[in-house]
Amino acid sequence: MTDIVAELQEAIGEEKVLSSPVDLIAYSFDGTFEQHAPEAVVLPETDEDVAAVIKVASRLEVPVVARGMSSGLAGGSIPFSGGVVVSLTRMNRILEIDEENMTVSVEAGVVTADLQAEVEKLGLFFPPDPSSNRQSTIGGNIACDAGGPRCLKYGVTGDYVLGLAVVLHDGRLLETGGKSIKNVVGYDLTSLFVGSEGTLGIITRALLRLVARPQFVRTALAYFPSLDDSSRTASAILSAGIVPATLELMDETAMTCIEEAMHLGLPLDVEAMLIIETDGSDEEAVVREIGEVARICRETGAREVKVARDEAERDTLWKARRSVSPSLARQAPNKLGEDITVPRSAIPEAIRRIRAISESYGLPMVIFGHAGDGNLHPNVLFDRRDPGQWEKVEQIVGEVFNVALELGGTLSGEHGVGTFKLPYVEQALGATSIDIQWRVKRALDPQNILNPGKVLPDT
Ligand SMILES: Cc1cc2nc3c(=O)[nH]c(=O)nc-3n(C[C@H](O)[C@H](O)[C@H](O)COP(=O)(O)OP(=O)(O)OC[C@H]3O[C@@H](n4cnc5c(N)ncnc54)[C@H](O)[C@@H]3O)c2cc1C
């Protein structure tokens, strides 16, 4: 243990290595309730620092766990096997905004919201919007292929990655992609690292695509007595040729939970609510589209539809959605937020089955998500200190994943596998896919030191 700290200090300088018990505990968590302390934490400032750290780890054969802001919800950045945590937060510079080519080049540790604010000053836009954009880094977003409400219209993080700089297991720097939009020379290594959760290399820099910032946004909220109608509405809106920027769904359990905590006046006799936004650079078109959305909602069974007239009203309409997480925290000491996806048409069936699971185990579950792309977040509320409850949570999660797979969906739309979903990955992907993925992993990490025990189940 002392050896590794001394070797790291020698390699990159004492001031970039943390090893006190307090520091190690501070770097032992992510956004879940699990923890495991590393043996050392490093705070690199350059590609060369990251390479030097990986070379030490490779020589000593200890794990290396990349870490952004540890907001992950799958245990991905928890160093369960010990070793070195590589925190990228000092590598947080925006290196270049190229207005003509609409690209931005950043270091991996830049906070997503900081990047968004900078490009928006120039009328540009980086659309992927995880709700954690103030608590997560671009490197972490790329490593998890993060999504968010706007992804229905604009796509997920990976859709904006044009190139990467990645430090490999032997300390070499791999640079992929570039500013050309079309590029089909060789395998698409950029995409290989998107969603790889730190298991194939450490991303140090990224070249990202930008779009023009939409000038106008309109927001509507609709209450539905019937869950099926709310789901049909999402499809009807898309079939009418409108691609909303967001199409968020909350079921009655989520609404009840928010109402108990926030007293916003949400109706408690409906089965679902939708928040829908249209955006663009032509105000008339945006207004026309939200009017059309409101009409479709009424036609497909909404009891009440509200359209915000200004920014203050828009803020009020969003308050319920933004209050979900704090409201859940008041209900139980712990929550496990899952992240399944199903085909859009299967949302009502998925919600009904998940509610039945919740009832059969006697633990409350709250469901909300992105109705437009079928990405649901069922949250189990429980007390981790009660072993009986934890056992039930594990069974519930297995059953929820079964529901997703049976309905033609999968285990994760945006949070990734980490360690939490490992037992279910083979069922989702099949043995051949797991075999091929292990071959890729072994080619890029022959010593299995890069975030071991994540993403791929043991074979
Ligand atoms: C309140 C809350 C809301 C959230 N909302 C959303 C949401 O709307 N959408 C969504 O997609 N997620 C959401 N998340 C989950 C989380 O914020 C995302 O997964 C995010 O992308 C993680 O970024 P991070 O910088 O915190 O990474 P970390 O949590 O530090 O790491 C996550 C994974 O990425 C790897 N990693 C991190 N940086 C690098 C790097 N530079 N190179 C290689 N691997 C790296 C880690 O090893 C780990 O496996 C939410 C989390 C919270 C707590």
Side-chain angles (χ1 to χ4, degrees), residues 61-130:
E61 298 215 56
V62 298
V64 182
V65 182
R67 188 181 197 265
M69 287 182 87
S70 70
S71 66
L73 294 175
S77 63
I78 302 177
F80 284 112
S81 315
V84 187
V85 162
V86 181
S87 168
L88 276 300
T89 47
R90 283 191 187 171
M91 295 182 67
N92 62 353
R93 286 177 306 155
I94 295 175
L95 301 169
E96 183 204 37
I97 302 176
D98 178 342
E99 291 183 68
E100 200 175 346
N101 287 307
M102 298 171 86
T103 63
V104 59
S105 170
V106 295
E107 290 183 326
V110 71
V111 174
T112 309
D114 292 348
L115 157 67
Q116 288 170 323
E118 278 310 303
V119 300
E120 282 175 35
K121 284 181 195 162
L122 301 170
L124 295 166
F125 193 51
F126 181 68
D129 60 339

Side-chain angles (χ1 to χ4, degrees), residues 66 68-72 76 130-132 136-137 140-141 143 146-147 197-198 203 414 451:
M69 287 182 87
S70 70
S71 66
S131 324
S132 54
S136 65
T137 62
N141 291 175
E197 300 186 41
I203 300 161
E414 48 188 33
N451 210 4

